[in-house]
Amino acid sequence: MNHQSVKMKRSLYVPLVLFAGIIVLQFLPFVRADSVQSVPAKPLAGVPEEINAILEKSCFDCHSSQSNLSWYDKIVPLDYFVNGHIAKGRAALDFSKWDSLENPARNNLLYYSLNKILEGEMPLKSYSYIHADNKPTENDIAVLKRYLTERTPRKAFDPELVLDSNENLNSPKAVEKIIVAANANGIEYIPEYKDWKLISFSDRFDNATMRLIYANDIAVKAIEENRVKPWPDGAIFAKAAWKSRSNADGTLSTGEFFQVEFMIKDAQKFKSSLGWGWARWRGKDLKPYGGKAILTTECTNCHKPLKENDYVFTKPFLLKNLN
Ligand code: HEC
Ligand code: HEC
């Protein structure tokens, strides 16, 4: 045997032993990951079959009680990754809980899901690599977009609602002159939010508002130091919203000041409401919104699916992009 072929034999030896090892592993029950339970998920109520089919195909494996695993998902040690993704995915978002959600929360979930697809974050890349057929196609994405636009059509601008728009734009300043009452849960208005860092902007055409999202110093520092899961006590977000007016030429501009909302992190103090204090002031005269119960249940119901991000929608990377 010449030198060359001995070398080749040796180089085959290692992969062969590894391969044999992996085969043996498959038959050892105690090295398997605990397999996840799969219970058939109901179609999402009030959602057309076509839309259901796309979400079921691309998302349900990790985001519902129904996980159709293939034989290759069950190979040790791959099964650890697969089961881990499913457990984490279900914890972050579970379409099987659809029936327990109010309509605004459902709309929100669908929007959020579409955004994750458009951003290329979902389905997870490692999953699409193995399950290429389950990846939403261009056509699936177009169908989802069209459906969401129909589900929550852009509301036409109602001139009755708008006062003089210049005055409205300045209204947060005007507000300082009025005495603002605390929310029913005792949370006081924080006028300084306008000096905080702006971390995001959103336009919700389903309810015709434009929103600016601000973060206080503690929240900004936490983002910079990547200490956001969970957010530290003292972090505060403010979201200020204006009515948006759709002008005749198709442009949008801000109309009347609509409301400002706060989320104040204090894990201990606000233990009963996901670790955050929730408060909202409506209208130019900043009227405290709702009763104590409404402030907790209404706000937390919608934010609850964001458990993975400590209930905050706005993605910290936006801040880094804007810096
Ligand atoms: C292979 C499993 C897997 C598949 C398939 C998958 N996801 Fe996810 N998804 C995850 C995991 C794990 C997380 C949470 C981890 C994270 O935030 O990084 C997540 C997070 C999310 C979140 C954010 C939830 C939150 O609270 O932050 C959304 C929205 C989402 N997925 C939507 C989708 C949609 C829509 C699809 C289908 C197009 C999909 N996912 C397919 C595993 C998956
Ligand atoms: C219908 C669902 C829904 C309800 C109800 C809701 N929110 Fe939100 N909230 C959102 C969404 C979506 C965002 C992300 C920004 C955006 O799109 O406007 C958000 C963002 C926020 C933010 C900015 C930080 C973040 O999470 O991104 C604050 C502060 C906030 N909400 C406070 C409140 C308060 C206070 C209440 C109750 C009075 C409330 N929210 C009720 C959906 C909701």
Side-chain angles (χ1 to χ4, degrees):
M1 214 185 283
N2 66 26
H3 188 68
Q4 195 67 28
S5 73
V6 170
K7 216 171 164 185
M8 205 147 89
K9 274 226 171 107
R10 274 207 198 123
S11 67
L12 270 176
Y13 185 70
V14 173
L16 270 177
V17 167
L18 270 179
F19 183 68
I22 286 178
I23 297 281
V24 170
L25 278 183
Q26 308 313 312
F27 296 99
L28 301 176
F30 52 88
V31 298
R32 288 208 162 273
D34 288 334
S35 62
V36 288
Q37 298 290 320
S38 177
V39 179
K42 272 200 291 183
L44 308 181
V47 172
E49 217 170 283
E50 184 187 23
I51 303 297
N52 248 304
I54 297 172
L55 295 173
E56 183 177 0
K57 172 186 76 169
S58 305
C59 320
F60 275 26
D61 273 355
C62 298
H63 292 299
S64 80
S65 60
Q66 167 185 313
S67 304
N68 294 323
L69 296 184
S70 358
W71 62 267
Y72 40 83
D73 291 319
K74 297 178 186 158
I75 298 175
V76 181
L78 271 183
D79 61 335
Y80 280 91
F81 294 102
V82 174
N83 284 311
H85 282 155
I86 294 174
K88 266 183 95 180
R90 281 182 184 170
L93 186 170
D94 189 348
F95 279 108
S96 307
K97 303 213 170 106
W98 182 259
D99 283 347
S100 69
L101 300 176
E102 305 277 338
N103 212 36
R106 290 177 175 181
N107 291 342
N108 214 49
L109 186 59
L110 292 176
Y111 262 101
Y112 192 43
S113 292
L114 175 64
N115 277 338
K116 287 278 172 185
I117 298 173
L118 293 176
E119 284 166 10
E121 283 183 40
M122 286 291 145
L124 290 180
K125 293 226 166 52
S126 57
Y127 175 84
S128 300
Y129 189 68
I130 304 174
H131 302 266
D133 289 347
N134 292 1
K135 201 178 166 177
T137 62
E138 289 294 316
N139 186 53
D140 290 342
I141 295 173
V143 168
L144 280 175
K145 267 192 197 159
R146 202 175 327 121
Y147 171 62
L148 277 176
T149 330
E150 280 163 16
R151 191 179 161 103
T152 53
R154 188 176 279 280
K155 282 193 185 135
F157 160 62
D158 177 359
E160 294 276 295
L161 288 175
V162 174
L163 311 170
D164 170 62
S165 83
N166 274 335
E167 185 200 342
N168 293 328
L169 271 176
N170 291 332
S171 67
K173 283 234 153 45
V175 147
E176 262 135 44
K177 299 194 195 90
I178 58 177
I179 296 161
V180 184
N183 259 215
N185 53 10
I187 295 178
E188 302 272 357
Y189 178 65
I190 312 171
E192 297 81 30
Y193 79 86
K194 281 156 270 155
D195 301 326
W196 296 351
K197 215 166 209 177
L198 203 52
I199 59 161
S200 186
F201 164 80
S202 71
D203 161 34
R204 276 285 289 265
F205 60 77
D206 56 313
N207 65 9
T209 53
M210 291 167 143
R211 305 97 179 278
L212 296 180
I213 294 155
Y214 303 83
N216 74 348
D217 288 349
I218 296 180
V220 169
K221 194 155 175 274
I223 293 166
E224 283 164 357
E225 293 168 2
N226 203 11
R227 288 183 296 113
V228 302
K229 291 181 183 185
W231 291 87
D233 282 356
I236 312 181
F237 294 98
K239 181 167 108 175
W242 286 262
K243 285 274 169 197
S244 54
R245 54 197 292 178
S246 316
N247 303 314
D249 61 0
T251 57
L252 281 179
S253 50
T254 44
E256 192 181 6
F257 179 74
F258 180 57
Q259 66 178 18
V260 58
E261 299 176 303
F262 292 92
M263 279 172 72
I264 303 166
K265 178 79 191 199
D266 189 324
Q268 214 39 48
K269 186 170 169 195
F270 301 119
K271 206 158 64 184
S272 61
S273 52
L274 308 177
W276 293 90
W278 307 82
R280 179 189 275 173
W281 284 266
R282 263 252 158 110
K284 267 187 73 166
D285 50 354
L286 293 176
K287 272 215 180 67
Y289 173 87
K292 203 171 168 177
I294 288 183
L295 279 169
T296 25
T297 51
E298 186 179 324
C299 313
T300 54
N301 273 347
C302 229
H303 281 253
K304 219 181 259 164
L306 279 292
K307 186 160 190 274
E308 266 287 303
N309 298 324
D310 199 8
Y311 310 105
V312 172
F313 276 95
T314 303
K315 285 287 181 195
F317 67 74
L318 285 175
L319 179 76
K320 288 193 176 144
N321 288 351
L322 286 176
N323 260 343

